[in-house]
Amino acid sequence: MSRIATGPARAYRSQLRAQQAEQTGARILDATVRVMAGGIASVSIPAVACEAGVSVPTIYRHFRTKRDLLAAVYPHLVRRAGLDELVPPRTMGELRDGVRAYFDHLDSFDDLARAAMASPASDDTRRISIPDRLAMARQLADSIVPRLSEVERDRIARLLVILISSSAVRLWRDHFGSTVDEAADDIDWVLRAAIAAAGSRSGR
């Protein structure tokens, strides 16, 4: 007699399959970071598959295109560093503490992640992730300065993306020798000056 599968059993298998798929996806992304950290100019799917110990078709089952794979790298690193758990600042008064917390979490990137983000291959990842990062920066700008025009809001958003990028953190820390507090103070000062300038332009 054949055994009839029950709903809960199917649900369990489905959850297990989803968990395995998530683990494989993370393994592929970790392998992509390792490939990028090798200093190559461009990431290849076969190189990632070899590093992850999976087949090329497995990569494409999780990421439909190479662009999709590269687009997932930055969010993956953000999750690994706990940056997705930070509460975005809602006012200018909260901005400095928000920047400080962000920089503290960026410091939790391991050496491999830092090497990957400093590699030539990371340029593709940055270009692909910029629209999403700009969208988040616009939301932040709307929150801290709600009355800006769309043009000025977009300028502030672009400035935010530049000032809180991992490249900017490296400049403050490695080249200027700044502490996290000093960097947060500088960013707070620059943004307040930019917002004041935007307000004066709007008032003309």
Side-chain angles (χ1 to χ4, degrees):
M1 178 183 288
S2 62
R3 188 175 176 180
I4 298 174
T6 62
R10 281 198 300 272
Y12 174 77
R13 285 197 295 273
S14 178
Q15 288 171 357
L16 181 61
R17 193 175 296 118
Q19 185 179 22
Q20 289 170 339
E22 186 177 336
Q23 290 171 346
T24 302
R27 186 167 143 204
I28 291 168
L29 288 168
D30 284 338
T32 306
V33 171
R34 290 195 297 274
V35 170
M36 290 171 62
I40 60 172
S42 181
V43 171
S44 76
I45 296 296
V48 172
C50 181
E51 182 67 33
V54 301
S55 67
V56 168
T58 297
I59 302 278
Y60 284 117
R61 273 198 299 274
H62 287 79
F63 305 95
R64 290 187 307 164
T65 65
K66 178 180 171 181
R67 181 184 177 85
D68 289 343
L69 173 63
L70 293 178
V73 170
Y74 187 77
H76 178 64
L77 292 177
V78 163
R79 287 191 299 273
R80 272 181 34 176
L83 286 165
D84 57 332
E85 298 171 3
L86 295 178
V87 177
R90 293 160 299 177
T91 65
M92 279 302 297
E94 294 178 358
L95 181 64
R96 184 188 174 282
D97 288 338
V99 168
R100 192 188 188 291
Y102 182 81
F103 277 17
D104 280 340
H105 276 71
L106 276 182
D107 276 341
S108 70
F109 275 7
D110 56 29
D111 290 341
L112 191 67
R114 288 196 187 98
M117 294 313 292
S119 73
S122 70
D123 288 344
D124 290 335
T125 303
R126 282 196 188 87
R127 273 193 295 271
I128 293 168
S129 70
I130 280 295
D132 288 338
R133 292 166 70 183
L134 271 173
M136 288 188 290
R138 287 189 190 103
Q139 289 178 349
L140 178 56
D142 280 338
S143 178
I144 59 177
V145 202
R147 291 176 298 280
L148 287 177
S149 69
E150 186 175 338
V151 170
E152 300 297 351
R153 186 273 316 268
D154 286 349
R155 284 185 175 137
I156 297 296
R158 289 192 293 270
L159 188 58
L160 274 166
V161 169
I162 292 168
L163 290 174
I164 61 176
S165 68
S166 56
S167 302
V169 174
R170 283 197 302 274
L171 274 172
W172 261 292
R173 183 182 55 220
D174 300 338
H175 299 284
F176 298 148
S178 301
T179 65
V180 170
D181 284 332
E182 289 169 338
D185 282 342
D186 286 350
I187 291 172
D188 180 74
W189 184 86
V190 169
L191 285 172
R192 286 180 185 276
I195 289 165
S200 67
R201 286 169 64 91
S202 300
R204 287 177 188 173

